[in-house]
Structure formats: structure tokens, C-alpha cells
Amino acid sequence: MSGSNSAIESTLVENRVFEPSAAAKDGAAVSGMAAYEALVNEAATDFEGFWAKRAKDNLVWTKPFNTVLDESNAPFYKWFSDGELNASANCLDRHMGTPTENKTAIIFEADDGAVTQITYKELLGRVSQFANVLKSQGVACGDRVIIYMPMTIEGVVAMQACARIGATHSVVFGGFSAKALQERIIDVGACAVVTANFQMRGGKELPLKSIVDEALSLGGCEAVKSVIVYQRTTSSVNMVAGRDHFMHELMAKESDVCTPQVVNAEHPLFVLYTSGSTGKPKGVQHSTAGYLLWARMTMNWTFDLKPTDVFWCTADIGWITGHTYVAYGPLAAGATQIVFEGVPTYPNAGRFWQMIERHKCSIFYTAPTAIRSLIKAAESNEAVHPKNSDLSSLRILGSVGEPINPEAWMWYHRNVGGERCPIVDTFWQTETGGHMITPLPGATPLVPGSCTLPLPGIMAAIVDESGNDMPNGAGGMLVVKRPWPSMIRNIWGDSERFKKSYFPEDLGVTMYLAGDGAVRSEDRGYFRITGRIDDVLNVSGHRMGTMEIESALVAKTDLVAEAAVVGRPDDVTGEAIVAFVVLKGARPEGEEAQRIAKILRDWVATEIGPIAKPKEVRFGDNLPKTRSGKIMRRLLRTLAKGETITQDTSTLENPAILEQLAKAL
């Protein structure tokens, strides 16, 4: 492919700009663009000095470091490698003897609305107690523990307790099947599993312990010596004598004092599995010091955290967002946070807004998928519209997980943020450990649909296939040119795959390949993520990111609630665009479906250009998503090609829609 047409064409132009208000700038951690640029320049002129200063200022070290960055074995970078510390001590013990010790650490709201609060001092006692439980079960520093838990205080306690004794945790989302759980137990070599009897979601009791039993019965898990069960509900479960123990019974026997285990800065804090585009899930391995440093810094920079804030990240601890912005970042920063067990639509789709009012939430961080589904709910039922709740406590809104389309951004800005709250549209990944490209609420002028500029110290760029920088306005592959502290250290047990996946030879083995396409705006140099590189369509020689076409469809606000776009092979154009659409009204059939499909195709042609017109439009009641709300695009690609689905659909919220979406008009 010649250089001239290898650029991903960007056609979406966004002209709306929202400057930071005087209130957002006032007292902000980074106030105004000049302050942002000063930090960027500091990192550019003295890279190691920049990071050393932050690591000394933000973390409590048992043994201070002398070496900042070791690049001798790239891409296996090491940060602060001769320093020692403990992650749990940096989240809990550091606050003892300060006013924070009696501050509420977690406001927990259960699925049924019951609220429990726990202070930092109480949380430290509980974490220490459970750390002693783990030790009583033979778990030692360097061992791996699988956590398969509901979204409760106990889930956070289990993670912190592992960190306290130097055990490496691997949290598996409670929506994964027994087979997926077994694969992860085997891959990470776990010696213990922490789970619950059941979890509560949307008023329903869903099993966890029985799925653990099934996973262990599938074989290969002989290293698991104990299963610790949190009794979330009164329902009984099968308990295997000698192996299974109730959490509360074990904790009752243990002291609430446990000296934190000091570990090396590079000690693996956790392994979190992420699906690869091919093959088995990848165990993304994160270090202790570098990861924690960035979790704390981004709490301060991105969310401009104040001591009085009530922070709420809606992500589950089974995902990276729940690790960095529930289990570690808020606690390291001494914040009060909301932890929510349930789903946004139970008992009604106004639950999020009602909770913001109830707990006086000031920073709210959620996913575009959740926002879009709540838009649909609010537009079809006025009773659950955010305008019915008092959202005046909100100060900052955030978006995470995928690019947010401009129309959803505007709705969020108007209806949730009351046109006064900055929206931090954060781009990052499981592999990056924390935010990479994001606005800063007191500094960055906002553009809907754009994650704007990299954080200071993050050397992000857009390059072509050979690693050459692309000019602003021309799309290409997103890379990071220099290491950063919270980056992935390895794929657990597979160093070759790590190098191949993230540091390809074509890019010189030192440049991190994010796997996303992006473009920088010509006027401001702002980044906009155009979709995964493997979601780049090539139609008649034009390369287009799927995200742009999705954004155009969703911008047809009178008709479309949600859309996902994939490519399928086409004899004429190389690839044809297939759009899967959820309408705000009922799912159309026959002539009505044909009519609406034509409206949508013409709309895209007007919004982007005829080249972007979907060849096919298919309608469903909703899109296939995992229980965490991610659209399963690989499934859609299979449906678009007319192939039989052979992959695992056990994490699918509603399998019935696959039939609807398989029908071509």
C-alpha cells in the first residue's frame, strides 16, 4: 500500500468548543493551558527528573529508589526498580494519624438500595483482618489469588488484602462463565479463590460459588487449595470440606492488625485478563509502584480531586477502570467514593441520577454505553429523566471505555452536567494502567467526541505503518513513544506475545502500539480515537474508522438510540459497511424496515459522504454486549458475514437478539 492512501481518512469535523469556566479553573490542580504546557515541557526537558519528583511526592517508600527508569532490556522497562513499598500501606496506613483516618472511605449502595459506610480506619482494620485470613490459608508473598466477587466493599477488601501480603491478585468479572474462570485460574497459577455465594443484580440473585465449583471441576486447577466464600445472601451453597470456608467465620478468628509486606517497586501487583483480537485472553501484568503512582496522579490531575469531593466511578472491579478508579486510586488519594452493586436500570432507569442526588456525588465517571442507554430510557419515559433529580452537587463528569460520540457528549453535558460541568473524556486501556489522553477540567478547552491532549509525561503520537509521524488531520495508528510508569510490564507467562502485541519490530520495538486508530485535529492538535485498528474498514481503497460512521448514525437523534458498524468482505468494494442499529422506537420489519434503512443510509451519505453509506442496515432490540456493557464487535462481524457463531456467548446479556441481527433486509 502506498504511503499516500495508507492514512485513515477522517471525515468527522467538530466545531463546538467549550472553554473551562472560571469555577473549573479556580484552585484546579492544573489551572489554565499555560500550567498544562509547563508540565509538558518539564517532562520533555527532564524526563527522568519529572517522574522521580512525582514518585517521591506521591508515594510512601519503605526504601527510597535511586534508579528512575531502566531501559536496558526494552521493551521490558523497569521503573524505580531499587525502591521498596507496599500498595495497601499507600492506600490505607498513610492516612492514619491524619484527619482522613475518620473520613468515610466508601459509601456502599447495595442493589436493593441499602447503604453502608466505612471509614478509612475501619477499612484498614477489615483489610488487615482479611490479609491475616489469606496468610492462615497458606497464601504467601508472590502467590496468585483469583477474586470472583460482586461489586461490594468485600471485593475491594480482598484486593487490598492481597496487596498487603504481597500476593498478586487477578480479578475475574462476575459475569464470566466457568470455562473463562477456569482458563484464568490455570493461566495465572492461582492457589486460592475468593468468591461469594451469590451476587445481586437488578433484583435477581445470580450464582458465583456454583460457577467456581464448576470451573474447578473442569480440571487443571489442582493448585487451588482454598476457596473463601463471602456470604452475600442467605441462600445456601455447596461447601467442600477442607477446601471451602466462609469469609466471616475465618475473619472472626483473626486480628485486625497486619504489618504490610514490603515488596520491590516492580513486584506484580495484579494480573488482569483482557481479550485479545486472536487466541486466548492476555494476562496483563502490572507493577506495584509505577501503577499506583499513576492511579494517584490521575485522580488529582484528571478529576481535580478535592478533600470534600464524593467520587463515583461506576465500573466493576472486574475491569481495569474498577482497579484504578475504585480499588486503588481513590483510596491512595484519600477520597470518599461511592461503590454501587447494582445496574443503572433497576428499579428504574433513573437510578444513577437518584444516587447522585442521594449521596451528593461531585465527580461522576461512567461509560458512553451507559449514557446512551440512559438517553434512550429518558426519552421514552420522562419519569426517569435526569431533570427529575437534583444534580447540583456535580462538579466534573467523566467518560471511559470507548470513544463518546458528540451527540451523547452534548446530552451528558446538558442534562447531567447542567452545562456547567467539564466532561473529561478519558482515553486509556487495561495495558496503560491509567489515563493517557484526557482533558484537564481546569485547563483544557473541550471539543465533543475528542479526548483532547496527552497527560504530561505521556509521549503519544500518530504514525503510519512504518512508524513515521502523520501530519495533523491525517489519521493513523496511535502509539506512545516513551515508556511511562503505569505501563503493562508483560503478558503473564508469554513474553513473546507481549513484544509482538505491543512493541512490534516494524515500529522499532521501543514504541508502544495501542491498537487504536486516531487523528489529530488540524486546528488544535487534539486527538480523536477513530476505533480499533482492526475495526478500520477499507471501502474502495478508502480507510475509515467504524467510530465515525457510528457517530454519524447516532447523530440522527430522532430515530437512532445506538449503532455499531463492522465490515464484511465485498467483491466490488473490498469491504462493505454493515450497520447494526437500535432505534428509539419499536424494531421495524418488512417495508417499514426498508424505509428507515434508506433514511439512515442517506443520512450517513449527507453527514460523512456517499463512500461511508452502509451497504446493509440491520435492526435489533439492542446490541450484543457483555455484562460490562462492551459491544461484542467480533460477534457482529461473524453475523455480518452470514457465518455461524461458534464463539462463546456466555457473557452476553441477551442472546435472543443474535437472531434479529442475523437477518439482512
Side-chain angles (χ1 to χ4, degrees):
M1 187 185 288
S2 70
S4 61
N5 64 2
S6 71
I8 298 170
E9 293 177 26
S10 175
T11 41
L12 200 69
V13 177
E14 179 58 66
N15 297 317
R16 292 169 290 196
V17 180
F18 298 84
E19 296 286 340
S21 65
K25 279 184 179 173
D26 186 33
V30 182
S31 180
M33 282 305 280
Y36 163 79
E37 279 153 10
L39 287 164
V40 169
N41 292 337
E42 184 191 340
T45 49
D46 180 11
F47 188 69
E48 287 199 13
F50 172 87
W51 287 114
K53 180 176 179 340
R54 272 72 206 172
K56 283 172 184 155
D57 290 353
N58 286 282
L59 295 179
V60 178
W61 295 88
T62 315
K63 179 187 167 206
F65 60 90
N66 292 306
T67 307
V68 180
L69 171 61
D70 176 355
E71 301 184 72
S72 60
N73 185 24
F76 299 96
Y77 299 103
K78 290 181 179 168
W79 284 91
F80 322 116
S81 55
D82 55 350
E84 294 178 355
L85 72 174
N86 179 277
S88 174
N90 267 276
C91 292
L92 300 169
D93 305 55
R94 71 178 303 159
H95 304 303
M96 296 307 112
T98 77
T100 306
E101 75 172 8
N102 295 314
K103 181 177 176 177
T104 301
I106 295 173
I107 302 166
F108 171 65
E109 182 161 320
D111 186 65
D112 65 2
V115 175
T116 314
Q117 300 199 7
I118 186 167
T119 66
Y120 272 88
K121 197 170 184 176
E122 291 165 340
L123 186 59
L124 171 60
R126 199 146 350 147
V127 165
S128 299
Q129 223 171 355
F130 192 62
N132 288 329
V133 164
L134 291 172
K135 286 199 285 193
S136 75
Q137 295 300 305
V139 180
C141 182
D143 286 342
R144 277 82 59 205
V145 174
I146 287 275
I147 297 174
Y148 186 64
M149 291 279 274
M151 197 54 194
T152 55
I153 293 173
E154 285 70 20
V156 175
V157 165
M159 293 166 80
Q160 284 282 341
C162 288
R164 197 161 191 85
I165 63 170
T168 300
H169 60 69
S170 186
V171 185
V172 178
F173 173 61
F176 277 125
S177 63
K179 181 81 187 111
L181 181 59
Q182 176 230 17
E183 282 171 1
R184 288 157 174 75
I185 292 170
I186 295 172
D187 192 72
V188 82
C191 67
V193 177
V194 183
T195 187
N197 60 344
F198 290 88
Q199 59 179 338
M200 295 301 300
R201 284 175 70 87
K204 294 189 188 85
E205 199 178 51
L206 301 172
L208 287 175
K209 171 64 167 62
S210 61
I211 296 171
V212 171
D213 291 346
E214 189 185 338
L216 295 177
S217 72
L218 293 172
C221 305
E222 288 71 27
V224 174
K225 297 290 181 275
S226 64
V227 177
I228 302 169
V229 183
Y230 163 52
Q231 204 162 0
R232 171 61 188 91
T233 69
T234 54
S235 302
S236 61
V237 285
N238 179 51
M239 297 290 280
V240 175
R243 185 195 75 183
D244 300 352
H245 314 271
F246 281 116
M247 188 178 194
H248 65 278
E249 290 175 1
L250 293 178
M251 283 179 77
K253 298 174 191 166
E254 298 296 338
S255 153
D256 62 359
V257 177
C258 172
T259 306
Q261 170 72 47
V262 175
V263 296
N264 180 272
E266 281 294 315
H267 180 79
L269 178 63
F270 64 88
V271 173
L272 184 57
Y273 285 84
T274 180
S275 50
S277 43
T278 54
K280 66 174 190 173
K282 297 182 287 208
V284 172
Q285 181 182 323
H286 275 289
S287 75
T288 298
Y291 168 80
L292 198 64
L293 170 65
W294 200 226
R296 179 144 196 224
M297 283 176 65
T298 49
M299 284 298 300
N300 290 334
W301 276 354
T302 312
F303 298 119
D304 188 35
L305 189 73
K306 305 276 193 283
T308 52
D309 277 316
V310 175
F311 176 83
W312 182 16
C313 165
T314 65
D316 189 283
I317 53 170
W319 311 109
I320 188 68
T321 307
H323 280 54
T324 311
Y325 301 107
V326 177
Y328 287 106
L331 298 177
T336 294
Q337 66 167 322
I338 298 165
V339 169
F340 174 47
E341 179 178 36
V343 294
T345 50
Y346 176 81
N348 59 63
R351 180 76 180 264
F352 275 3
W353 324 130
Q354 293 148 15
M355 282 180 63
I356 290 170
E357 174 177 349
R358 189 154 48 248
H359 303 301
K360 302 284 180 279
C361 169
S362 57
I363 305 171
F364 178 66
Y365 191 37
T366 195
T369 300
I371 296 164
R372 288 194 293 264
S373 67
L374 295 173
I375 294 175
K376 185 178 182 184
E379 291 191 352
S380 57
N381 176 8
E382 196 146 306
V384 299
H385 195 283
K387 68 182 178 192
N388 298 309
S389 298
D390 176 2
L391 306 181
S392 58
S393 58
L394 285 171
R395 194 168 75 76
I396 290 167
L397 300 175
S399 166
V400 60
E402 57 187 309
I404 183 167
N405 49 293
E407 290 316 310
W409 191 103
M410 287 302 301
W411 185 91
Y412 196 27
H413 170 69
R414 282 192 197 109
N415 295 286
V416 182
E419 301 190 1
R420 67 175 196 286
C421 299
I423 298 176
V424 288
D425 173 4
T426 59
F427 167 80
W428 60 297
Q429 301 170 308
T430 303
E431 295 87 348
T432 71
H435 303 151
M436 299 295 280
I437 308 174
T438 174
L440 295 175
T444 320
L446 304 174
V447 171
S450 168
C451 49
T452 68
L453 293 167
L455 284 168
I458 304 298
M459 309 302 181
I462 296 172
V463 300
D464 63 13
E465 283 92 339
S466 311
N468 305 308
D469 282 297
M470 299 298 286
N472 288 359
M477 300 188 299
L478 181 62
V479 296
V480 186
K481 291 190 169 183
R482 294 285 288 130
W484 67 101
S486 68
M487 67 194 296
I488 175 174
R489 295 302 196 265
N490 209 336
I491 290 174
W492 185 265
D494 199 342
S495 299
E496 275 313 299
R497 190 176 180 194
F498 166 74
K499 285 196 287 196
K500 253 193 227 106
S501 301
Y502 303 113
F503 294 93
E505 279 187 19
D506 301 356
L507 300 178
V509 194
T510 58
M511 213 181 276
Y512 172 82
L513 178 67
D516 281 293
V519 62
R520 298 190 74 165
S521 62
E522 287 188 60
D523 54 349
R524 297 171 180 270
Y526 277 10
F527 284 77
R528 185 166 51 76
I529 308 300
T530 50
R532 296 291 298 168
I533 294 172
D534 51 14
D535 285 336
V536 171
L537 309 178
N538 194 329
V539 182
S540 307
H542 296 265
R543 298 178 78 207
M544 282 175 288
T546 52
M547 178 62 201
E548 296 204 61
I549 306 166
E550 289 170 9
S551 273
L553 284 162
V554 176
K556 182 81 173 117
T557 52
D558 58 328
L559 283 175
V560 176
E562 215 172 354
V565 168
V566 300
R568 65 161 172 77
D570 185 273
D571 292 346
V572 179
T573 55
E575 254 188 312
I577 299 168
V578 182
F580 295 90
V581 176
V582 179
L583 296 179
K584 287 183 172 171
R587 177 169 59 87
E589 296 203 6
E591 279 182 24
E592 178 66 355
Q594 299 277 7
R595 185 182 71 79
I596 295 174
K598 183 175 181 319
I599 294 172
L600 295 179
R601 292 175 71 243
D602 293 346
W603 169 264
V604 172
T606 311
E607 285 285 287
I608 297 180
I611 193 71
K613 251 177 131 160
K615 186 146 189 187
E616 271 188 61
V617 179
R618 301 185 185 182
F619 298 103
D621 290 330
N622 39 41
L623 294 174
K625 291 174 190 164
T626 63
R627 293 194 185 118
S628 72
K630 268 212 167 144
I631 296 169
M632 296 175 81
R633 291 172 194 278
R634 276 183 289 166
L635 274 184
L636 292 177
R637 280 196 276 273
T638 306
L639 289 172
K641 288 176 194 164
E643 295 170 358
T644 310
I645 291 172
T646 54
Q647 64 220 81
D648 180 23
T649 56
S650 63
T651 61
L652 203 57
E653 197 79 88
N654 174 9
I657 56 170
L658 296 178
E659 241 173 86
Q660 297 171 8
L661 297 169
K663 286 182 195 155
L665 293 183

